[in-house]
Amino acid sequence: MEDVGEALREQQRLWSYGGCGIATVAWCLLFWGLYLFVPLSPSVWDKQAYSSACHRIVAGFHGLVSTALALWSSWRFFCVSHPSDFVDAVNSLRYSDPTQEYVIAVTLGYFIADIIVNATDKHAKFGITDYFHHILCGVEYVIILYYSWALIIHILLQTNEMSTPFLHIGWFLDHNRKNGTALFHVNTVVFSVLFYSTVPKWLPVFACTELITYCGLQFYFAYRIIISGGLVKSISDVIDELTPQCADAWDAGNASNPWQPAVLEMIKASGKDFNDAGNFRDCHNIADTYNITYCLVEEYYHQSDGITRNFGIGMCFPSACNASDYAIVYTHLRALTNCPNTTNPHIDCRKAMDHLTAWGYILLGLVIALLIIHIIGTTRDALFYLSDRHNHETQVQAIVDTKIPVATSSTSIEDAVVDNMMAYESTSATSKGTVYVDWDSLEKRALLGSHGSTTTTTTNYSNDKHPSLYQFLDCFSLRINFWKMLEISSHSSLDACNGVRALAMLWIITGNTFVVLFRVGIADPSVLTQYTPFAFQIIFSLEFAVDTFLFLSGFLVAFLTISKLLRGSVNWALFLLQRPWRLLPSYALCILGYTQLSILLGNGPFWAKFQYGIPGVFQCVDYFWTNLLYINNFYPTKFYEQCMGWTWYLAVDMQLYLFSPLLIIVFAKKVKLGYIVSIVVILLNICYLLTLSLAFNVKLFTLKWLDWACDKPFARTFPYISGFLVAALLLQRDKRQSRSKRAIILTWVIGVPLMILPLFGKLHLFMGHGWSYTENALYLSLASCSWSIGLGLVMYSILCGEVKIVENVLAITLWVPLARLNYGAYLVHSWMISFAYYKVENYTDFTMYSTLYNFFGHVVMTYLVAAFVFLLVEQPVLNLEGFIRARWEARKNSSRATTASWS
């Protein structure tokens, strides 16, 4: 390690000499600038006085700069580095604090510049003694760069130099005729003590000088060439504790050591302190030549706010070192700092995978095949549209499944829903046509923002030889699907659902922007104390954004299905199969993309953690099938072992959807019984959460809470059942009567506080005070219930059209395409954020501005990728559903007609 220190010293000498040249030129320019252009003497013709004034200004300026840097460096050394004694301060190796280079360059450059200026200035009073003084100081600076024993002379001379500012103060007071004042006499005493007590022949005062040195009042620590860096000191301190192979690898003085030429490079590529990942690329550049391994050593700790934080350091070590060597160095380094002692450090030396697997080639082939089909379908549709546009027969198309029903003054919301669904089914039965948007009228509506009936065009295939093939290809037309993505449906009182859905998605992206950033790690976690816990309450309450999704899902399922059941029957087999058919293709494609794109799109110190860690990408290799079966919230049993962990919501939503027919039938048969069953389900949910809290000591934001409560359907029924209740109330209400203003105000007065209470109820917990047993049980069991009831009250009032201002804001047409892309956005948002943060080269400096700036980038990237998924898979699958149903209905009708003709 001594040779390592010598190599680092040699590097610092070069830096000091280079800076010295720059400083020399700067001091010379300062003097001649003053001398030639600024009148500093009362008589500009008195050249000798004028030259003396310039010298004093330059010397005074140097004294102020050097003193300020000396105090700063001394404070940093004693208050930050904490040397054990004077010998330790002299002999210890510390790495990369730039203060010493600055001061050496400034002062050594001043000595050289002063000699040059005085030699070229004929009016200067510069005798042989002055030249000797400057040369002696310059030589002493050079010697101190090479030999530690020169510190004794250095300390004495530089303490003597500290008298310089007091000399200039005396000159100033004498020039202004203040030489008889008390200040002048005090200054003279201080100058005399500093100057005459530290002349080198007065060696007995060395003990006093050492004391002054230790108190930070001398110059040396400003010019220290002792190299600063906790990692180097940790290695030197524990070299005897390392395994023999690792200890020998760090022996830079052994020529037979294969790692000997790379020791200095390994030190430079390693982190210098906690939350410093070092230089990943430099380490890998020398890794193949010298068999070196880069490892990220981290510790994680969970705070009461539920956010996992970590601190760690990147280590570029010889491959002869094993995990125990890393742990020894890391533990010793932690002992030198104030970092909290948590669990055993996690040592990650894995290399990120950089080549495609078999699944990657399957994904590539699948995407290419889909693109080819889309190109063929788009080309066929465009050519047919342009050539036969004048033959198109126009008719009013019934609403497709993704559209919102139209409600007019003469028909209720549910009437419009049912009528439009029935019209869609009859239109789907057409065997000689396929429906596509009249994009001229749609373009006008999109540009002007107007609302109107959706006019669609049916292509007549009666004269074509292959109508089914053309209908199939039209399902993949990018032109048709693009306009469907941007289509603005006719105005409805349910349009407010679009705004709520889009805002909930933006809320989730905002929260995960912070969560993923903290999971990767920030350079200085202490900066978080600058922000009040109140500011993070809404950001980190992501569970309520998911509850909002579940509320809307339950509401729409109940509203549409109960309405249809009241008018006729529901094909329950089709009901149960329809949602997996629509969701699974996009889901499967995103899982493949998530696991394979992570191989190609990044590298860096954190990328292996992103691939192999927990949560990590390659967990999908073992558990992707649980996502496709929508059981990933039950197996694997650990929350952080799930593939694409944020998709637990999709599993919960699907499981509640499969449960919903039971409740729908009860509501359709007897509404009061439906209310009773809903209340019973909510009470069972509360009892389950209370049991977890009281009997099993499950606390909020702990691993137990994640595994047993966060992602389980029987702990998430509150919002889904609330959606059912709001749907039932809307279906039951008398449209001819409106509620009183008092009832509307009471709804909002109760609803809004019920939503705010769980949002800010965690403030005490975020402030680090902890919760009592009772507080934890109450919040865990009632928070989601409070949010769901409040949201239900507010949404009921909005959907009834009682608060037009809020309804109009949530019904802005901007929300429609965003809400249409919500499913794809939810699938890809987390890996867009992860791709951005895990690719960084070092721990990120956290500021609120930079994080919010990143948030807008994440939103743009998320919705761009969601649009790609929508056009490539999601909308074509919906089109294929209509195509298959139309063919099925056509065959049934044909079979009935044949049977009727024979009878």
Side-chain angles (χ1 to χ4, degrees), residues 350-370:
R350 294 170 293 191
K351 291 185 178 180
M353 186 179 294
D354 56 1
H355 60 277
L356 285 177
T357 64
W359 286 106
Y361 290 105
I362 292 174
L363 172 67
L364 187 62
L366 181 63
V367 171
I368 291 175
L370 286 173

PDB file of all heavy atoms in Angstrom, residues 350-370:
ATOM      1  N   ARG A 350     -22.035  -9.705 -10.084  1.00  0.00           N
ATOM      2  CA  ARG A 350     -22.497 -10.326 -11.319  1.00  0.00           C
ATOM      3  C   ARG A 350     -22.374  -9.369 -12.494  1.00  0.00           C
ATOM      4  O   ARG A 350     -22.587  -8.163 -12.357  1.00  0.00           O
ATOM      5  CB  ARG A 350     -23.950 -10.777 -11.162  1.00  0.00           C
ATOM      6  CG  ARG A 350     -24.129 -11.883 -10.143  1.00  0.00           C
ATOM      7  CD  ARG A 350     -25.583 -12.139  -9.838  1.00  0.00           C
ATOM      8  NE  ARG A 350     -26.196 -11.007  -9.144  1.00  0.00           N
ATOM      9  CZ  ARG A 350     -27.399 -11.045  -8.583  1.00  0.00           C
ATOM     10  NH1 ARG A 350     -28.094 -12.160  -8.632  1.00  0.00           N
ATOM     11  NH2 ARG A 350     -27.886  -9.989  -7.981  1.00  0.00           N
ATOM     12  N   LYS A 351     -22.059  -9.935 -13.625  1.00  0.00           N
ATOM     13  CA  LYS A 351     -22.009  -9.151 -14.855  1.00  0.00           C
ATOM     14  C   LYS A 351     -23.375  -9.152 -15.511  1.00  0.00           C
ATOM     15  O   LYS A 351     -24.056 -10.179 -15.559  1.00  0.00           O
ATOM     16  CB  LYS A 351     -20.968  -9.731 -15.816  1.00  0.00           C
ATOM     17  CG  LYS A 351     -19.530  -9.552 -15.359  1.00  0.00           C
ATOM     18  CD  LYS A 351     -18.572 -10.039 -16.428  1.00  0.00           C
ATOM     19  CE  LYS A 351     -17.124  -9.807 -15.998  1.00  0.00           C
ATOM     20  NZ  LYS A 351     -16.164 -10.274 -17.025  1.00  0.00           N
ATOM     21  N   ALA A 352     -23.776  -7.990 -16.008  1.00  0.00           N
ATOM     22  CA  ALA A 352     -25.060  -7.903 -16.689  1.00  0.00           C
ATOM     23  C   ALA A 352     -25.025  -8.710 -17.983  1.00  0.00           C
ATOM     24  O   ALA A 352     -24.014  -8.724 -18.695  1.00  0.00           O
ATOM     25  CB  ALA A 352     -25.398  -6.444 -16.996  1.00  0.00           C
ATOM     26  N   MET A 353     -26.106  -9.426 -18.257  1.00  0.00           N
ATOM     27  CA  MET A 353     -26.187 -10.195 -19.491  1.00  0.00           C
ATOM     28  C   MET A 353     -26.260  -9.236 -20.676  1.00  0.00           C
ATOM     29  O   MET A 353     -27.005  -8.251 -20.653  1.00  0.00           O
ATOM     30  CB  MET A 353     -27.415 -11.109 -19.469  1.00  0.00           C
ATOM     31  CG  MET A 353     -27.510 -12.054 -20.656  1.00  0.00           C
ATOM     32  SD  MET A 353     -28.961 -13.148 -20.563  1.00  0.00           S
ATOM     33  CE  MET A 353     -28.536 -14.135 -19.137  1.00  0.00           C
ATOM     34  N   ASP A 354     -25.502  -9.520 -21.720  1.00  0.00           N
ATOM     35  CA  ASP A 354     -25.453  -8.616 -22.860  1.00  0.00           C
ATOM     36  C   ASP A 354     -25.736  -9.317 -24.182  1.00  0.00           C
ATOM     37  O   ASP A 354     -25.397  -8.814 -25.246  1.00  0.00           O
ATOM     38  CB  ASP A 354     -24.084  -7.926 -22.926  1.00  0.00           C
ATOM     39  CG  ASP A 354     -22.944  -8.936 -22.986  1.00  0.00           C
ATOM     40  OD1 ASP A 354     -23.220 -10.151 -22.986  1.00  0.00           O
ATOM     41  OD2 ASP A 354     -21.769  -8.497 -23.031  1.00  0.00           O
ATOM     42  N   HIS A 355     -26.346 -10.509 -24.121  1.00  0.00           N
ATOM     43  CA  HIS A 355     -26.688 -11.218 -25.357  1.00  0.00           C
ATOM     44  C   HIS A 355     -28.104 -11.774 -25.225  1.00  0.00           C
ATOM     45  O   HIS A 355     -28.567 -12.117 -24.136  1.00  0.00           O
ATOM     46  CB  HIS A 355     -25.696 -12.341 -25.635  1.00  0.00           C
ATOM     47  CG  HIS A 355     -25.649 -13.384 -24.555  1.00  0.00           C
ATOM     48  ND1 HIS A 355     -24.889 -13.216 -23.407  1.00  0.00           N
ATOM     49  CD2 HIS A 355     -26.275 -14.583 -24.415  1.00  0.00           C
ATOM     50  CE1 HIS A 355     -25.036 -14.266 -22.630  1.00  0.00           C
ATOM     51  NE2 HIS A 355     -25.882 -15.107 -23.206  1.00  0.00           N
ATOM     52  N   LEU A 356     -28.781 -11.891 -26.349  1.00  0.00           N
ATOM     53  CA  LEU A 356     -30.157 -12.348 -26.352  1.00  0.00           C
ATOM     54  C   LEU A 356     -30.248 -13.832 -26.020  1.00  0.00           C
ATOM     55  O   LEU A 356     -29.385 -14.628 -26.407  1.00  0.00           O
ATOM     56  CB  LEU A 356     -30.800 -12.099 -27.720  1.00  0.00           C
ATOM     57  CG  LEU A 356     -31.182 -10.659 -28.068  1.00  0.00           C
ATOM     58  CD1 LEU A 356     -31.730 -10.591 -29.480  1.00  0.00           C
ATOM     59  CD2 LEU A 356     -32.214 -10.118 -27.087  1.00  0.00           C
ATOM     60  N   THR A 357     -31.306 -14.198 -25.314  1.00  0.00           N
ATOM     61  CA  THR A 357     -31.610 -15.607 -25.075  1.00  0.00           C
ATOM     62  C   THR A 357     -32.548 -16.098 -26.179  1.00  0.00           C
ATOM     63  O   THR A 357     -32.905 -15.359 -27.100  1.00  0.00           O
ATOM     64  CB  THR A 357     -32.277 -15.771 -23.709  1.00  0.00           C
ATOM     65  OG1 THR A 357     -33.548 -15.083 -23.726  1.00  0.00           O
ATOM     66  CG2 THR A 357     -31.417 -15.186 -22.606  1.00  0.00           C
ATOM     67  N   ALA A 358     -32.953 -17.353 -26.067  1.00  0.00           N
ATOM     68  CA  ALA A 358     -33.883 -17.907 -27.058  1.00  0.00           C
ATOM     69  C   ALA A 358     -35.194 -17.127 -27.058  1.00  0.00           C
ATOM     70  O   ALA A 358     -35.793 -16.880 -28.115  1.00  0.00           O
ATOM     71  CB  ALA A 358     -34.129 -19.388 -26.752  1.00  0.00           C
ATOM     72  N   TRP A 359     -35.625 -16.692 -25.846  1.00  0.00           N
ATOM     73  CA  TRP A 359     -36.859 -15.897 -25.764  1.00  0.00           C
ATOM     74  C   TRP A 359     -36.690 -14.559 -26.468  1.00  0.00           C
ATOM     75  O   TRP A 359     -37.649 -14.009 -27.021  1.00  0.00           O
ATOM     76  CB  TRP A 359     -37.245 -15.673 -24.307  1.00  0.00           C
ATOM     77  CG  TRP A 359     -37.812 -16.881 -23.644  1.00  0.00           C
ATOM     78  CD1 TRP A 359     -37.219 -17.684 -22.723  1.00  0.00           C
ATOM     79  CD2 TRP A 359     -39.118 -17.438 -23.869  1.00  0.00           C
ATOM     80  NE1 TRP A 359     -38.051 -18.701 -22.345  1.00  0.00           N
ATOM     81  CE2 TRP A 359     -39.235 -18.576 -23.036  1.00  0.00           C
ATOM     82  CE3 TRP A 359     -40.191 -17.100 -24.694  1.00  0.00           C
ATOM     83  CZ2 TRP A 359     -40.371 -19.369 -23.000  1.00  0.00           C
ATOM     84  CZ3 TRP A 359     -41.334 -17.877 -24.655  1.00  0.00           C
ATOM     85  CH2 TRP A 359     -41.421 -18.992 -23.828  1.00  0.00           C
ATOM     86  N   GLY A 360     -35.492 -14.031 -26.461  1.00  0.00           N
ATOM     87  CA  GLY A 360     -35.247 -12.776 -27.164  1.00  0.00           C
ATOM     88  C   GLY A 360     -35.451 -12.914 -28.656  1.00  0.00           C
ATOM     89  O   GLY A 360     -36.037 -12.030 -29.301  1.00  0.00           O
ATOM     90  N   TYR A 361     -34.991 -14.028 -29.201  1.00  0.00           N
ATOM     91  CA  TYR A 361     -35.180 -14.245 -30.640  1.00  0.00           C
ATOM     92  C   TYR A 361     -36.651 -14.537 -30.963  1.00  0.00           C
ATOM     93  O   TYR A 361     -37.145 -14.170 -32.032  1.00  0.00           O
ATOM     94  CB  TYR A 361     -34.287 -15.390 -31.110  1.00  0.00           C
ATOM     95  CG  TYR A 361     -32.815 -15.030 -31.093  1.00  0.00           C
ATOM     96  CD1 TYR A 361     -31.965 -15.527 -30.109  1.00  0.00           C
ATOM     97  CD2 TYR A 361     -32.288 -14.153 -32.045  1.00  0.00           C
ATOM     98  CE1 TYR A 361     -30.620 -15.180 -30.074  1.00  0.00           C
ATOM     99  CE2 TYR A 361     -30.949 -13.806 -32.023  1.00  0.00           C
ATOM    100  CZ  TYR A 361     -30.121 -14.314 -31.031  1.00  0.00           C
ATOM    101  OH  TYR A 361     -28.795 -13.960 -31.010  1.00  0.00           O
ATOM    102  N   ILE A 362     -37.334 -15.173 -30.030  1.00  0.00           N
ATOM    103  CA  ILE A 362     -38.787 -15.375 -30.227  1.00  0.00           C
ATOM    104  C   ILE A 362     -39.500 -14.035 -30.258  1.00  0.00           C
ATOM    105  O   ILE A 362     -40.373 -13.797 -31.104  1.00  0.00           O
ATOM    106  CB  ILE A 362     -39.343 -16.279 -29.102  1.00  0.00           C
ATOM    107  CG1 ILE A 362     -38.791 -17.696 -29.251  1.00  0.00           C
ATOM    108  CG2 ILE A 362     -40.866 -16.273 -29.116  1.00  0.00           C
ATOM    109  CD1 ILE A 362     -39.168 -18.623 -28.102  1.00  0.00           C
ATOM    110  N   LEU A 363     -39.138 -13.154 -29.319  1.00  0.00           N
ATOM    111  CA  LEU A 363     -39.734 -11.818 -29.305  1.00  0.00           C
ATOM    112  C   LEU A 363     -39.439 -11.075 -30.598  1.00  0.00           C
ATOM    113  O   LEU A 363     -40.334 -10.456 -31.195  1.00  0.00           O
ATOM    114  CB  LEU A 363     -39.196 -11.021 -28.117  1.00  0.00           C
ATOM    115  CG  LEU A 363     -39.575  -9.532 -28.068  1.00  0.00           C
ATOM    116  CD1 LEU A 363     -41.070  -9.367 -27.846  1.00  0.00           C
ATOM    117  CD2 LEU A 363     -38.793  -8.806 -26.976  1.00  0.00           C
ATOM    118  N   LEU A 364     -38.191 -11.147 -31.042  1.00  0.00           N
ATOM    119  CA  LEU A 364     -37.806 -10.465 -32.275  1.00  0.00           C
ATOM    120  C   LEU A 364     -38.599 -10.991 -33.459  1.00  0.00           C
ATOM    121  O   LEU A 364     -39.113 -10.224 -34.282  1.00  0.00           O
ATOM    122  CB  LEU A 364     -36.302 -10.646 -32.505  1.00  0.00           C
ATOM    123  CG  LEU A 364     -35.678  -9.871 -33.667  1.00  0.00           C
ATOM    124  CD1 LEU A 364     -35.825  -8.373 -33.443  1.00  0.00           C
ATOM    125  CD2 LEU A 364     -34.207 -10.237 -33.822  1.00  0.00           C
ATOM    126  N   GLY A 365     -38.722 -12.311 -33.554  1.00  0.00           N
ATOM    127  CA  GLY A 365     -39.493 -12.895 -34.652  1.00  0.00           C
ATOM    128  C   GLY A 365     -40.962 -12.529 -34.579  1.00  0.00           C
ATOM    129  O   GLY A 365     -41.601 -12.251 -35.613  1.00  0.00           O
ATOM    130  N   LEU A 366     -41.511 -12.492 -33.349  1.00  0.00           N
ATOM    131  CA  LEU A 366     -42.921 -12.147 -33.187  1.00  0.00           C
ATOM    132  C   LEU A 366     -43.192 -10.709 -33.611  1.00  0.00           C
ATOM    133  O   LEU A 366     -44.177 -10.427 -34.324  1.00  0.00           O
ATOM    134  CB  LEU A 366     -43.321 -12.356 -31.726  1.00  0.00           C
ATOM    135  CG  LEU A 366     -44.779 -12.060 -31.354  1.00  0.00           C
ATOM    136  CD1 LEU A 366     -45.711 -12.997 -32.109  1.00  0.00           C
ATOM    137  CD2 LEU A 366     -44.976 -12.210 -29.847  1.00  0.00           C
ATOM    138  N   VAL A 367     -42.330  -9.779 -33.185  1.00  0.00           N
ATOM    139  CA  VAL A 367     -42.516  -8.375 -33.550  1.00  0.00           C
ATOM    140  C   VAL A 367     -42.383  -8.186 -35.055  1.00  0.00           C
ATOM    141  O   VAL A 367     -43.161  -7.452 -35.683  1.00  0.00           O
ATOM    142  CB  VAL A 367     -41.505  -7.495 -32.789  1.00  0.00           C
ATOM    143  CG1 VAL A 367     -41.539  -6.065 -33.307  1.00  0.00           C
ATOM    144  CG2 VAL A 367     -41.796  -7.523 -31.300  1.00  0.00           C
ATOM    145  N   ILE A 368     -41.402  -8.846 -35.664  1.00  0.00           N
ATOM    146  CA  ILE A 368     -41.229  -8.734 -37.122  1.00  0.00           C
ATOM    147  C   ILE A 368     -42.453  -9.271 -37.839  1.00  0.00           C
ATOM    148  O   ILE A 368     -42.950  -8.667 -38.807  1.00  0.00           O
ATOM    149  CB  ILE A 368     -39.954  -9.483 -37.560  1.00  0.00           C
ATOM    150  CG1 ILE A 368     -38.710  -8.759 -37.044  1.00  0.00           C
ATOM    151  CG2 ILE A 368     -39.895  -9.612 -39.084  1.00  0.00           C
ATOM    152  CD1 ILE A 368     -37.419  -9.492 -37.323  1.00  0.00           C
ATOM    153  N   ALA A 369     -42.986 -10.419 -37.373  1.00  0.00           N
ATOM    154  CA  ALA A 369     -44.184 -10.982 -38.001  1.00  0.00           C
ATOM    155  C   ALA A 369     -45.372 -10.036 -37.883  1.00  0.00           C
ATOM    156  O   ALA A 369     -46.119  -9.816 -38.855  1.00  0.00           O
ATOM    157  CB  ALA A 369     -44.506 -12.331 -37.366  1.00  0.00           C
ATOM    158  N   LEU A 370     -45.550  -9.457 -36.690  1.00  0.00           N
ATOM    159  CA  LEU A 370     -46.656  -8.507 -36.504  1.00  0.00           C
ATOM    160  C   LEU A 370     -46.478  -7.273 -37.380  1.00  0.00           C
ATOM    161  O   LEU A 370     -47.460  -6.769 -37.956  1.00  0.00           O
ATOM    162  CB  LEU A 370     -46.739  -8.101 -35.033  1.00  0.00           C
ATOM    163  CG  LEU A 370     -47.301  -9.147 -34.064  1.00  0.00           C
ATOM    164  CD1 LEU A 370     -47.156  -8.673 -32.628  1.00  0.00           C
ATOM    165  CD2 LEU A 370     -48.767  -9.426 -34.382  1.00  0.00           C
TER     166      LEU A 370
END
